[in-house]
Amino acid sequence: MTNTIKKLAVIGGTGLTELEGLEIIESKEVATPYGKPSGPLVFGKLDGKEVIFLARHGNPHRIPPHEVNYAANIFALKQEGVTSIIGVNAVGGIEYLMGPAHVVIPDQLIDYTHSRKNTYFEGEIDAVTHIDFSYPYTESVRQLLIDAAEAHDVAYSDYGVYACTQGPRLETAAEVARLERDGCHIIGMTGMPEAALAAELEIEYACLALVVNWAAGKTANIITMDEIDQAIDEGMGYVRQILVETIKQA
């Protein structure tokens, strides 16, 4: 398919604090009207294609989901001329087909977060603005991710409703049951307000999610960090394959 990506950024989540194979040209600390981003913007080339990488939780991984400065992160990328963002997210699986180490390219989300700065349209503004957020993920960017997964024969799902919860704690079994009744397939803590802020700045955005655990109550076991780390070790290679292929085709 014909793509329209002019300048691509990747925001890495848990398990992806750097992008292997990226030929680093520059690492730059930037300032924004909304404070400092999670870390320096890493400018580089991968297979000759320019890309900017930002570690959402910092490098090393130190910023919890509810304290990430999403507004600064997205604004910093906009300042550098980014037109499209791929957000990588570690998530829990609710849908029975979406177990640990499975890749999901969601097409919808529900926001359950609170107390996060979730808009640029506040304070002293010229006019009230309501963006259309019916479809939170840019279909053309989603299709690039889908094509990349197909090219590498990665097991993936090309649909899914992402439930974004506040964190940093994991959910109760009752909460997961409620989310399942709401129609959610995966649970994460970083999908919002990131996607909405990108939309407000007219940046294309898509999510590449890796399931790292079954959500609470989906098995008889409690969730452990060993389980999560094992799924990250197993599945992050698939994520990197998809990212590299997507960047090549972008």
Side-chain angles (χ1 to χ4, degrees), residues 99-119:
H102 188 73
V103 170
V104 182
I105 303 166
D107 59 345
Q108 274 295 337
L109 64 81
I110 301 177
D111 186 9
Y112 298 92
T113 66
H114 56 83
S115 308
R116 301 182 182 189
K117 178 172 175 53
N118 60 6
T119 182

Side-chain angles (χ1 to χ4, degrees), residues 136-174:
Y137 303 118
T138 304
E139 187 57 33
S140 60
V141 184
R142 286 187 69 251
Q143 193 59 55
L144 282 173
L145 295 172
I146 291 167
D147 291 346
E150 292 281 355
H152 288 274
D153 199 26
V154 172
Y156 76 100
S157 296
D158 63 356
Y159 69 95
V161 177
Y162 180 131
C164 190
T165 58
Q166 178 69 2
R169 68 168 177 84
L170 296 173
E171 300 74 28
T172 69

Side-chain angles (χ1 to χ4, degrees), residues 8 51 90 124 163:
L8 177 66
V51 64
E124 295 183 9

Side-chain angles (χ1 to χ4, degrees), residues 50 59 113 125 153 165 168 210 226:
E50 292 185 3
N59 187 8
T113 66
I125 55 178
D153 199 26
T165 58
L210 175 67
D226 286 343

